[in-house]
Amino acid sequence: MQCDYFDAGVCRSCDLMGVAYGTQLAGKDAHARRLLERHPDAEWLPPLASDPEAFRSKAKMVVGGTSAEPTLGILDEARIGVDLRRCGVISTGIRAAFDPVAAFIARAAIEPYDVRARRGELKLVVVLEAPDGSLMIRFVLRSREAEGRMRKHLPALLAAVPTAAVVTINLQPEHKAVVEGPDELPLTPVDTLLVRLDDVTLHVRPGSFVQTNTGVASALYREGAEWVAAAAPRSVWDLYCGVGGFGLHVAARAAADGPGMRVLGVELSAEAIESARAAGVPGTRFEVGDATAFAERSDPADRPDVVIVNPPRRGLGARLAGWLEREGPASVLYSSCNSVSLAADLERMPSYRVDRARVFDMFPQSSHYELLTLLTRRVRRAGAGSPSRGR
């Protein structure tokens, strides 16, 4: 892929830009295999490719410039706005909304936030696109100062972007490296974007985490559900469940084979849990809570046959990995956006072997990727270390 912004040196976010896509994919697969080389018996499936261009279904654009001429993109080293409205990795549907969004900012006279001077209002515009083309547009502001003007000019924005289903204001008043705040003000009657993936519809509310590559995410959830189904579990925990991507797909896949499986999802974000519950998939239950604390206080009689974990980039950490090592089930489905932290967690879980692994290229043009692994508890001989709970 060729990118004018990259060639001009104004944006280097895509560190593999210009590298042949096949070479990118092979390099990511090789990197994952090296990190998991202590599991030589793992079955490695071929890496799953993405569309190398226009794949991003979510864009977080820093707002710079002036209210009359705003930039949407990033800030340079001097904290000056760099406009990236034509970025080729962002979906065409989102890109089509950028010019009308910029015109809306100018019409409503919303002053972009100046990081150096610590003044202004508008920090970010966050746009999410569903597979059907509908959009969620969120304006991250310091205060409600511009709310009246935004409501006044909202009809013009909706007319210019007919795919905009959800428009909100997020309030983030503090000057710190936190993308968004806890308060969301809906400007449209609808505040939930419906994201349909296969037979599951995710109900995405503002602030809920969703993968940035819908096409690859759909394949990731589908394959994860198939791997879990092969273990024939009666109960599954989905820790760090977000809006329920894995758990809902696992439950929907199980329902096709008949009732009986129970899926429990745990996530710290109340917004995400509300979204997961709204999907209404039978056999599922979702709770707000910290994944590690939930596991540690669980009753042994209620523990599942399979645990799914999809942690942030830092990984599971010593406590949750330690709990899985001591108390975990026969199978763990681990989806990681940082294979380095995954490898560190595996070192803390020597009772598990990597049974199966596959790279999902969620982030073409960059060195990042998603790695899905199926972990199986080793069967140990009596007296050889900790006793096995394998079934």
Side-chain angles (χ1 to χ4, degrees), residues 119-354:
R119 66 168 180 261
E121 286 293 321
L122 181 56
K123 296 182 174 183
L124 296 163
V125 172
V126 183
V127 187
L128 174 66
E129 183 179 29
D132 67 358
S134 57
L135 300 178
M136 175 187 288
I137 304 174
R138 303 171 67 215
F139 295 88
V140 181
L141 299 167
R142 289 184 71 197
S143 75
R144 301 179 68 159
E145 184 273 333
E147 180 183 356
R149 300 192 302 278
M150 293 175 72
R151 290 188 183 277
K152 175 184 176 181
H153 295 289
L154 180 64
L157 175 62
L158 297 179
V161 189
T163 53
V166 180
V167 182
T168 70
I169 293 172
N170 177 268
L171 296 177
Q172 202 329 32
E174 299 186 58
H175 179 85
K176 60 181 183 180
V178 176
V179 173
E180 55 197 55
D183 297 321
E184 202 85 20
L185 308 175
L187 300 181
T188 49
V190 177
D191 66 354
T192 300
L193 189 70
L194 301 182
V195 178
R196 184 170 179 81
L197 305 176
D198 295 330
D199 295 328
V200 173
T201 298
L202 303 180
H203 292 238
V204 180
R205 294 175 58 80
S208 299
F209 170 79
V210 288
Q211 297 285 3
T212 60
N213 186 328
T214 304
V216 173
S218 181
L220 176 73
Y221 296 143
R222 183 169 57 249
E223 186 132 344
E226 291 174 358
W227 291 7
V228 170
R234 302 297 293 175
S235 61
V236 175
W237 285 357
D238 183 5
L239 305 183
Y240 302 102
C241 69
V243 296
F246 277 108
L248 293 170
H249 279 78
V250 165
R253 170 69 173 75
D257 297 331
M261 182 192 289
R262 305 185 315 278
V263 175
L264 171 60
V266 179
E267 166 63 46
L268 201 56
S269 167
E271 285 279 339
I273 289 298
E274 186 175 348
S275 299
R277 289 171 177 166
V281 175
T284 61
R285 180 163 61 92
F286 294 93
E287 295 183 2
V288 178
D290 176 78
T292 301
F294 172 84
E296 290 177 335
R297 69 170 183 266
S298 63
D299 186 333
D302 297 331
R303 288 173 185 163
D305 302 312
V306 174
V307 169
I308 301 169
V309 289
N310 185 20
R313 289 191 60 79
R314 66 178 181 273
L316 300 178
R319 283 176 58 195
L320 186 51
W323 181 87
L324 286 166
E325 172 64 17
R326 297 187 309 273
E327 308 289 342
S331 298
V332 174
L333 184 74
Y334 191 143
S335 185
S336 172
C337 61
N338 182 3
S339 52
V340 173
S341 60
L342 165 62
D345 285 335
L346 290 176
E347 290 294 307
R348 302 180 178 110
M349 300 160 58
S351 293
Y352 287 95
R353 70 174 187 270
V354 178

Side-chain angles (χ1 to χ4, degrees), residues 9 19 28 39 61 77 107 140 148 195 210 225 229 303 333 382:
V19 177
K28 295 179 185 186
H39 298 265
M61 310 297 282
E77 293 181 357
R107 193 176 294 114
V140 181
V195 178
V210 288
R303 288 173 185 163
L333 184 74

Side-chain angles (χ1 to χ4, degrees), residues 71-101:
T71 61
L72 303 178
I74 60 174
L75 299 180
D76 63 16
E77 293 181 357
R79 298 295 187 264
I80 303 298
V82 176
D83 197 273
L84 301 177
R85 287 184 230 177
R86 306 295 176 255
C87 173
V89 301
I90 297 174
S91 73
T92 55
I94 293 178
R95 274 183 281 161
F98 284 154
D99 285 349
V101 164

